[in-house]
Amino acid sequence: MKFSSLKQQIIVIFLTLILGIQLAGLIPIQYSVDKNVRKLVGKELDVGEKVFLNLLESNTENITNGAKILAADYGFREAIASNDQETILSALNNFQSRIHADIAIFYGVQNDSMTVSGNLTEQEAKPVVNHLIDTHSASAKKIDFEIFNDMPYQLVAVPIRAPIIIGWMVVGFEIDDALAEKLNKLSNLQVTFLQRTEKGAWLSSASTLSREDQLSLMDYFEHKASPDLVNNEVTIQEEVFDSKTLTLHDDDDNMLLAVLQRSITAEISNYQTLKYTLLILTIFGLGVFTVAIIYVSNYIAGPIAKLSETAKQLEQGNYNLTIQTDRHDEIGDLSKAFNSMRDAIATREAKVARLAFWDDVTNLPNRVAFIKHLGEKIAAHQQRGLSLTIIVLNLDRFKEVNKILGRDLGDDLLNRVAHSLKAMVRTDDMVARLGADEYGLLLASAGLEEGLAVARKLQTIFDAALALGVQKIDVTAGIGLAVYPQHGDSDEQLLHNAETALHVSKSKHSGVVLYDAAFDLGIQENLSLASELKTAIQGRQLTLYLQPKVNLKTKRGYAAEALVRWIHPEKGLIFPDQFIPFAEQTGLIKDITLWMLEEACRVHTELKTEGIELTIAVNISTRDLIDSDFPDKVEAIFKRFNIAENAISLEITESSIMDDPVRAEATLHRLANMGLKIAIDDFGTGYSSLGYLKRLPVKELKIDKSFVMNMEKNDNDTIIVRSTVDLGHNLNLKVVAEGIENIEVWNILAKMGCDYGQGYFMGKPMPEKDFKSWLDKWEAQSQDMAPKKLSA
């Protein structure tokens, strides 16, 4: 059984319990009453049987005494002696009348004569009298019954002595209703005399029962195999009687029974008042208990129901409900605990809600909140036909700032940028932190032109170095923007397109980039190239290019940097910036590095056979530096080509070192111990500290071309390059300048004492098969103090 409430459960369970207890009490009472009544009725039957027999014996004794008195009468004796039948009959009639007998018989022994007073003939009486005389015992008080003309009689035989027996007196009483009523009054039993006739039918001679009950009793005897079996309970007219049967007479022709009965049903009915009283008390008790249990259930379940309702409200996010209680029991404690739990949940929900929609570091909305607000604004602008612009900004090299300067200064940088962004927007605009170093701006009512103006203004934030404590950091950022509805009509599409423009800005270092549908085609093409790159490495679609490195003092081409190109069978020449980024992401860069080393060894060997001793520099990536097996792989390649370790040099970037400085430093020391020369590429663009530079086994610095290309026009670049050259020489390092585009820069570098140069002025990257012809041309022209730009 299922209950819809605790209150119902308490009421039903306890009412069922008390009802069960009451019923459990009534059943034994009923059983005890039935048992005691039957026991009492059985005792009454035993007593009634004794009363019945005593009454018959008393009747017999009275008849015997009366007969003795008559037998002692002198006149009666004279009548017997003289065989005066008339006198004898008169005396019998007087005796019969006096004792209220129904029959009186005298039998004379001497003359075998018989005088009968009553409704019997001599022929009917003689067999019975003879039987009584034959079976008479002087010492026993025998009770005899006989049936004459289907009528039962109680008979007494008394001998008449003078002094010998001269005759017999036989006196009989009819068994009738009077006798049954007398027995009923004495014993309080129902008495019925039943006789079975010669034909086997049962007749009721006398009874205290009604006629209908007598017929039922006779019918019951009709179906019994033996009358002795009637000494048990008998149901007559739906009334149960305990019965006892006495056989008074039994011969071959007739049987006479006395059936003594006591009504069990009537006796039990005497206890009905008690049963009704108990039932009324039970009902009253149930009523009182019901009222009490309803009160108790309300007292217990009421507060629990309130707690349940409060829990439902909590589930729906309503934390304003307070459970008021003045109870000091367990329910009161539970209510107070529930209030405390509600307050705790409300506090945690507030924290979770803030974490879900807010950034703790910058105190700005997060990406989820930004997208939600953007969706709401788009829905509002759709109805009003307005435009909006979103700008996505991503800081450059933030990872290096975190690693080198620590997360505290990194968080400080994020907060400084966030504060600057908020200062540049209106109150109805939104600034959010979308990721680790990425911000989003929602210009709620800006169109394309206004959005571009704001984006360009954002660039000015990074014009000056940001002061973080005692540090000053030059920060740059990529910026992408998209405009609703030109570039998308949903929050996800618009943000995706803005981030696509940001990706283009970051990859091409092009500042502010407005989304263009062609960007997606380019990304799809790059994804296609990524899936084809592995096949390209294994299918020898990659080719090696070399860019010369020249000694600025001797003007001799002493080395070259190995560069890779992809000759696609369908798309033709593909430059590194189109496939190296995703090669680094997928790990294929490690395969490309090993391919480059093998190709560099092969080219070195081939040029050496032609008398050209050329050191070839190969770039290695972050993944190579953190690969503990990389030095073993390099050594295996050198052994296979049988070349000296100084034939190949390795170039690394500052950022590749800083990703995992410990493992990178261990790998570099192993490579240096093998005899390989290590150079730091693009020096000046990263965040590596001089401490790292001092510890690493570096032999060469390569100044990034961004500082070299415009030296003749920019004094600051000149100062930076001169300082870097001096730094390198002070650390006993050789210095290479990248990006030499003209003779003016060559001359400036030569005066500074820069060791080596690399750039389009000397030679562009070229297929390795063209390097020897370039070298011949360069050697022929290099002695001219003002060499002209050579073409490959």
Side-chain angles (χ1 to χ4, degrees):
M1 181 178 182
K2 293 184 177 180
F3 300 97
S4 59
S5 68
L6 177 62
K7 178 180 177 181
Q8 289 181 357
Q9 190 172 353
I10 293 174
I11 292 174
V12 171
I13 289 176
F14 279 92
L15 285 181
T16 302
L17 181 63
I18 192 63
L19 185 60
I21 293 173
Q22 292 291 338
L23 290 176
L26 289 175
I27 291 173
I29 292 174
Q30 177 67 35
Y31 173 77
S32 178
V33 168
D34 289 348
K35 182 179 179 181
N36 290 334
V37 165
R38 281 171 167 78
K39 186 176 181 180
L40 178 62
V41 168
K43 290 181 179 180
E44 290 180 353
L45 282 174
D46 293 337
V47 173
E49 178 185 6
K50 294 177 181 178
V51 171
F52 175 77
L53 293 175
N54 288 335
L55 179 61
L56 294 180
E57 289 175 358
S58 177
N59 286 343
T60 299
E61 187 174 351
N62 290 335
I63 293 170
T64 300
N65 291 333
K68 288 180 178 179
I69 293 172
L70 178 62
D73 183 73
Y74 178 78
F76 184 64
R77 287 174 175 270
E78 285 294 324
I80 293 173
S82 61
N83 195 23
D84 185 355
Q85 293 293 322
E86 291 182 0
T87 302
I88 293 173
L89 180 61
S90 174
L92 291 176
N93 287 334
N94 290 333
F95 177 73
Q96 177 184 354
S97 176
R98 186 172 64 252
I99 65 173
H100 306 292
D102 293 302
I103 57 173
I105 303 170
F106 173 73
Y107 172 69
V109 176
Q110 294 178 351
N111 54 9
D112 193 23
S113 62
M114 185 175 289
T115 304
V116 179
S117 173
N119 297 326
L120 291 176
T121 64
E122 184 179 344
Q123 289 79 9
E124 292 173 338
K126 189 173 183 177
V128 175
V129 173
N130 291 334
H131 175 73
L132 289 173
I133 294 171
D134 292 340
T135 60
H136 180 267
S137 174
S139 62
K141 298 179 180 180
K142 186 177 179 184
I143 304 173
D144 291 308
F145 292 87
E146 288 292 343
I147 297 174
F148 299 108
N149 296 327
D150 294 332
M151 181 60 67
Y153 291 88
Q154 180 184 3
L155 300 178
V156 178
V158 179
I160 299 175
R161 302 175 185 273
I164 64 172
I165 296 175
I166 59 174
W168 289 84
M169 277 287 295
V170 178
V171 183
F173 291 89
E174 183 180 341
I175 304 300
D176 56 8
D177 289 341
L179 177 61
E181 290 293 340
K182 186 176 182 180
L183 288 170
N184 175 260
K185 290 179 180 177
L186 291 173
S187 64
N188 201 28
L189 301 178
Q190 300 292 340
V191 181
T192 302
F193 293 94
L194 295 177
Q195 67 180 73
R196 187 179 62 192
T197 63
E198 296 178 4
K199 296 180 180 180
W202 286 92
L203 298 175
S204 175
S205 302
S207 179
T208 57
L209 297 174
S210 65
R211 188 59 188 168
E212 291 181 355
D213 290 349
Q214 293 179 49
L215 293 174
S216 297
L217 185 60
M218 288 187 288
D219 182 66
Y220 185 80
F221 273 81
E222 287 284 350
H223 295 88
K224 282 293 180 181
S226 171
D228 295 336
L229 299 175
V230 186
N231 290 326
N232 51 26
E233 294 183 3
V234 178
T235 302
I236 301 175
Q237 298 292 332
E238 298 182 355
E239 187 172 1
V240 180
F241 291 87
D242 195 1
S243 304
K244 194 162 218 174
T245 304
L246 304 176
T247 303
L248 303 179
H249 173 75
D250 188 10
D251 58 22
D252 295 336
D253 297 326
N254 294 287
M255 177 181 282
L256 179 63
L257 302 176
V259 181
L260 306 179
Q261 293 180 303
R262 186 76 172 91
S263 175
I264 296 175
T265 303
E267 287 295 325
I268 291 177
S269 66
N270 294 330
Y271 291 88
Q272 288 300 111
T273 302
L274 175 60
K275 289 182 179 179
Y276 289 142
T277 302
L278 288 175
L279 181 61
I280 291 171
L281 289 175
T282 298
I283 294 173
F284 178 75
L286 283 174
V288 173
F289 191 80
T290 300
V291 173
I293 198 60
I294 289 175
Y295 171 77
V296 171
S297 64
N298 284 331
Y299 188 75
I300 295 175
I304 295 177
K306 290 181 180 179
L307 292 177
S308 176
E309 181 61 30
T310 303
K312 292 179 182 178
Q313 294 294 324
L314 291 178
E315 181 182 3
Q316 297 173 4
N318 183 5
Y319 303 104
N320 297 321
L321 293 179
T322 301
I323 302 173
Q324 302 293 339
T325 181
D326 55 356
R327 294 174 60 160
H328 301 286
D329 55 6
E330 289 82 356
I331 298 294
D333 293 339
L334 179 61
S335 300
K336 295 172 185 176
F338 212 87
N339 283 332
S340 299
M341 182 185 72
R342 184 212 63 213
D343 294 338
I345 292 175
T347 302
R348 283 196 296 271
E349 281 288 314
K351 290 181 180 179
V352 170
R354 180 173 178 82
L355 291 175
F357 297 100
W358 215 257
D359 175 55
D360 279 345
V361 175
T362 60
N363 203 29
L364 291 177
N366 62 12
R367 188 181 190 90
V368 175
F370 184 81
I371 294 174
K372 181 175 180 293
H373 187 64
L374 176 59
E376 293 170 354
K377 284 295 183 181
I378 289 176
H381 283 25
Q382 281 178 339
Q383 299 175 354
R384 299 165 61 187
L386 299 177
S387 297
L388 62 82
T389 298
I390 61 171
I391 301 173
V392 182
L393 179 148
N394 185 277
L395 302 180
D396 295 329
R397 297 185 301 276
F398 178 72
K399 188 175 182 181
E400 286 83 349
V401 173
N402 255 350
K403 287 194 173 184
I404 296 171
L405 302 181
R407 290 190 175 275
D408 290 340
L409 285 179
D411 290 346
D412 192 14
L413 172 60
L414 293 174
N415 276 304
R416 291 285 301 277
V417 174
H419 179 75
S420 299
L421 294 178
K422 286 192 291 185
M424 296 186 67
V425 298
R426 293 170 294 195
T427 55
D428 59 340
D429 296 333
M430 182 181 193
V431 179
R433 185 185 178 194
L434 304 183
D437 54 357
E438 186 173 313
Y439 298 85
L441 286 79
L442 194 162
L443 309 180
S445 57
L448 176 59
E449 294 302 324
E450 187 177 355
L452 285 171
V454 173
R456 294 188 183 101
K457 189 177 179 181
L458 289 177
Q459 286 184 297
T460 61
I461 296 176
F462 308 106
D463 285 346
L466 294 178
L468 300 178
V470 296
Q471 300 276 350
K472 282 193 176 183
I473 299 177
D474 287 321
V475 180
T476 58
I479 301 174
L481 73 157
V483 181
Y484 169 83
Q486 294 96 311
H487 302 140
D489 57 3
S490 69
D491 49 11
E492 291 185 2
Q493 184 182 13
L494 200 63
L495 182 57
H496 167 76
N497 291 342
E499 289 182 330
T500 300
L502 171 65
H503 175 74
V504 174
S505 171
K506 295 276 287 183
S507 61
K508 296 185 177 181
H509 305 288
S510 50
V512 177
V513 175
L514 179 67
Y515 172 75
D516 191 309
F519 295 162
D520 286 326
L521 297 177
I523 292 174
Q524 292 175 6
E525 183 177 354
N526 285 342
L527 291 175
S528 175
L529 289 176
S531 64
E532 297 175 7
L533 181 57
K534 189 171 185 179
T535 303
I537 296 172
Q538 298 172 350
R540 304 193 66 81
Q541 295 178 16
L542 302 182
T543 186
L544 186 71
Y545 272 52
L546 296 176
Q547 185 173 23
K549 296 168 71 175
V550 177
N551 187 314
L552 295 180
K553 184 176 182 180
T554 65
K555 304 184 182 67
R556 295 187 64 241
Y558 76 102
E561 180 178 359
L563 304 171
V564 64
R565 300 291 185 268
W566 181 0
I567 309 300
H568 195 279
E570 297 175 358
K571 298 172 179 154
L573 181 63
I574 300 175
F575 287 93
D577 58 354
Q578 293 180 269
F579 64 88
I580 290 298
F582 53 75
E584 291 178 341
Q585 295 171 5
T586 60
L588 290 175
I589 190 66
K590 295 167 70 175
D591 296 332
I592 294 176
T593 300
L594 295 178
W595 179 87
M596 290 278 289
L597 285 169
E598 290 180 347
E599 287 295 294
C601 290
R602 178 186 62 80
V603 171
H604 172 82
T605 302
E606 292 177 356
L607 290 175
K608 187 174 182 180
T609 58
E610 298 183 23
I612 300 174
E613 288 284 347
L614 184 70
T615 300
I616 301 178
V618 177
N619 291 281
I620 59 175
S621 69
T622 303
R623 288 181 180 268
D624 297 317
L625 285 177
I626 62 176
D627 181 4
S628 59
D629 295 331
F630 181 67
D632 297 330
K633 296 174 183 177
V634 173
E635 186 176 14
I637 293 173
F638 285 179
K639 287 182 179 180
R640 189 164 67 249
F641 284 92
N642 193 25
I643 62 173
E645 285 76 5
N646 60 7
I648 303 294
S649 66
L650 301 179
E651 295 185 1
I652 59 174
T653 62
E654 293 176 271
S655 59
S656 65
I657 300 171
M658 302 317 301
D659 279 349
D660 190 341
V662 176
R663 293 171 66 181
E665 185 175 348
T667 301
L668 289 174
H669 277 289
R670 286 187 61 190
L671 293 170
N673 290 336
M674 291 167 53
L676 287 164
K677 184 173 71 173
I678 310 297
I680 293 182
D681 197 10
D682 301 332
F683 185 77
T685 60
Y687 290 96
S688 61
S689 66
L690 295 179
Y692 273 114
L693 188 61
K694 183 176 67 174
R695 292 202 308 269
L696 295 177
V698 176
K699 299 298 183 183
E700 185 175 275
L701 295 181
K702 293 186 71 175
I703 304 173
D704 187 71
K705 63 182 179 180
S706 61
F707 302 110
V708 176
M709 293 175 63
N710 298 311
M711 283 177 56
E712 79 279 14
K713 303 174 183 177
N714 191 315
D715 293 338
N716 289 331
D717 286 344
T718 303
I719 294 171
I720 291 173
V721 173
R722 179 180 289 109
S723 299
T724 304
V725 171
D726 292 341
L727 172 66
H729 288 163
N730 289 333
L731 293 173
N732 294 320
L733 303 177
K734 296 295 184 181
V735 181
V736 180
E738 295 182 294
I740 299 175
E741 300 284 331
N742 51 58
I743 187 62
E744 288 80 13
V745 173
W746 169 288
N747 290 331
I748 294 172
L749 290 169
K751 286 182 180 181
M752 289 180 180
C754 182
D755 300 296
Y756 309 113
Q758 181 178 345
Y760 280 15
F761 176 71
M762 291 84 81
K764 296 180 179 179
M766 63 193 72
E768 47 92 5
K769 61 183 180 61
D770 297 335
F771 186 81
K772 185 176 184 304
S773 60
W774 170 86
L775 186 59
D776 292 340
K777 292 180 181 179
W778 175 259
E779 293 292 343
Q781 301 176 13
S782 62
Q783 297 308 313
D784 188 351
M785 293 305 298
K788 297 178 181 179
K789 186 175 180 181
L790 296 180
S791 61

